[in-house]
Amino acid sequence: MAGASVAVVDLRKAYGPIRALDGVSLEVGEGEYFVVLGPLGSGRSTLLKCIAGILEPDEGDVLIDGESVLGVPPERRGVGYMPPGYALFPHMTVWENVAYGLWIRGFPKEEVEERVREALELVGLLERANSYPHQLSGGQRQRVALARALASGARVLLLDEPLTALDAILALEVRREVRALAKDLGLTVIHVTHDQEEAMAVADRIAVMRRGRIEQVGTPLELYLRPRTLFVARFIGGENNFLECRVVGRRGRFVRLELGSSVVEAVGDLEAGRAVLVVRPEMLRLSERGPLEGIVRTREFLGKVYKYVVDLGEGRRVLVKEARRVEVGARVRLSFSPEDALAFPYPPEGLEEAVRYE
């Protein structure tokens, strides 16, 4: 079994005044594990349903292996759509749940038997073929849903929040299983989630969506280290520091920024004006000669490191993650490498609006 390439071209979908998709274009390669990440209302599930054929876009196109599938019913697109919560029939056995789609499509009995057996063997559940969904764990039910998609002959798996029904520990196990199985079979996967940690763990590449548009596409490392927008900088990696400042010059590829009474440097193409300095908590270091000075207001022990809130004055506070232990109330200096910080132009809509999830 081999995956198929998927492309969406300028997709648009509106519900009254709400633009769920506002000109979305992307390409997913054959055999790629691609994650669409975004907050609630970003349009990620609408995008997946348009690819599946559950929804028809108002404008744009969906291509699988270079061929448009607009107007093609879902069962003939070569995709397996897995909605949140598995959508298994509780009164049917595992075998019957996997076989159901093949039965209603009129496959011969012998072929149904062969496909179902192969699919259940692939997900390691052949011995539970006669069990009912309520007799299975959450992870096993997830694998039944996956077997159903495999039995249908799907070359593209569309996973809509596939781990939301699982507890945290089981979700870690299942996400590893699904990725490993998809890679072993060479399937193309488009996985939709709101959980950035989940996305970073499984994706070859990630598309970050916001308000019906794609903010950035890249590998997990690219998005983490070099976000192109302030929203991506906030959404990927969780906590981040955003500090308002002003451009005062350049030094080679680095922009020089006035931050209170200090001057710091960061990666950026700015020449003048207001700016926003973005630096992750783990990139800040307690340093005797650091350019930033502040007072430790809180301290939390996270296991390997401490998380500090440091008050820099003038309403500025930063999060710092450091292995060194210092006392609350201590005056400290902070430093960071210019390579580990980014400078963005100050957004015209304001910083709070630029990073807001909704």
Side-chain angles (χ1 to χ4, degrees):
M1 187 181 295
S5 64
V6 179
V8 297
V9 182
D10 197 26
L11 279 193
R12 299 177 187 272
K13 181 71 177 178
Y15 300 100
I18 300 173
R19 295 181 180 180
L21 298 177
D22 191 11
V24 173
S25 297
L26 58 82
E27 295 184 1
V28 181
E30 180 182 315
E32 186 174 15
Y33 201 114
F34 191 91
V35 174
V36 181
L37 174 67
L40 184 67
S42 61
R44 60 187 197 274
S45 290
T46 299
L47 172 62
L48 202 70
K49 290 174 181 176
C50 286
I51 296 171
I54 297 169
L55 293 175
E56 284 294 316
D58 299 331
E59 297 178 38
D61 205 353
V62 177
L63 299 94
I64 297 179
D65 270 349
E67 298 290 331
S68 175
V69 292
L70 289 188
V72 177
E75 65 273 14
R76 293 180 54 199
R77 292 192 177 194
V79 303
Y81 174 71
M82 293 171 57
Y86 322 123
L88 302 179
F89 295 109
H91 63 286
M92 291 185 180
T93 65
V94 167
W95 183 280
E96 291 165 341
N97 266 284
V98 176
Y100 181 75
L102 301 173
W103 287 338
I104 63 173
R105 289 163 62 188
F107 279 82
K109 180 180 179 181
E110 295 77 12
E111 186 171 352
V112 172
E113 297 252 342
E114 182 180 355
R115 285 191 179 211
V116 174
R117 179 176 294 277
E118 287 180 353
L120 289 176
E121 283 181 340
L122 282 170
V123 300
L125 286 178
L126 185 57
E127 74 281 359
R128 302 302 301 270
N130 294 321
S131 299
Y132 288 88
H134 73 272
Q135 297 172 317
L136 304 176
S137 69
Q140 288 171 326
R141 290 195 293 270
Q142 183 71 72
R143 281 187 275 163
V144 174
L146 181 58
R148 182 176 54 196
L150 296 175
S152 72
R155 300 169 61 203
V156 178
L157 294 181
L158 306 176
L159 311 181
D160 194 351
E161 296 281 2
L163 307 179
T164 52
L166 306 179
D167 63 59
I169 300 300
L170 186 57
L172 293 176
E173 178 184 340
V174 172
R175 76 189 186 193
R176 285 193 295 265
E177 287 183 1
V178 172
R179 177 182 164 87
L181 186 58
K183 287 298 182 182
D184 287 345
L185 297 174
L187 298 174
T188 303
V189 178
I190 303 177
H191 174 144
V192 160
T193 183
H194 68 282
D195 187 325
Q196 57 88 22
E197 181 179 323
E198 178 183 318
M200 300 280 279
V202 299
D204 294 325
R205 287 190 303 148
I206 299 170
V208 179
M209 289 192 69
R210 184 190 191 215
R211 297 176 179 173
R213 297 182 180 182
I214 291 180
E215 292 266 315
Q216 186 175 349
V217 178
T219 67
L221 191 61
E222 287 169 346
L223 295 177
Y224 188 83
L225 295 179
R226 289 293 181 262
R228 293 179 188 164
T229 70
L230 289 167
F231 177 78
V232 174
R234 183 188 179 195
F235 199 67
I236 294 290
E239 298 170 321
N240 219 332
N241 293 304
F242 298 87
L243 298 169
E244 297 183 30
C245 51
R246 183 169 295 278
V247 177
V248 293
R250 295 196 61 84
R251 184 179 68 84
R253 59 189 294 261
F254 300 119
V255 60
R256 293 174 58 80
L257 305 165
E258 184 180 69
L259 184 62
S261 60
S262 302
V263 174
V264 297
E265 296 181 349
V267 175
D269 295 325
L270 311 184
E271 298 294 339
R274 296 174 72 191
V276 179
L277 172 68
V278 179
V279 56
R280 296 195 178 278
E282 62 271 25
M283 301 302 183
L284 285 167
R285 290 289 174 262
L286 299 172
S287 170
E288 293 182 0
R289 297 183 179 181
L292 303 179
E293 184 177 6
I295 298 173
V296 176
R297 295 303 185 192
T298 68
R299 181 186 69 206
E300 298 175 33
F301 181 56
L302 303 182
K304 293 183 177 180
V305 298
Y306 292 92
K307 181 169 76 172
Y308 300 99
V309 173
V310 178
D311 188 346
L312 302 179
E314 299 181 348
R316 297 185 178 95
R317 290 193 170 196
V318 292
L319 291 177
V320 182
K321 292 181 180 178
E322 251 276 18
R324 290 172 55 187
R325 184 179 188 274
V326 297
E327 299 301 321
V328 173
R331 183 168 291 277
V332 296
R333 300 193 74 90
L334 302 173
S335 66
F336 58 88
S337 168
E339 290 281 357
D340 296 330
L342 299 174
F344 292 87
Y346 191 86
E349 69 272 30
L351 179 57
E352 183 177 350
E353 179 64 21
V355 302
R356 190 160 63 92
Y357 282 10
E358 291 300 321

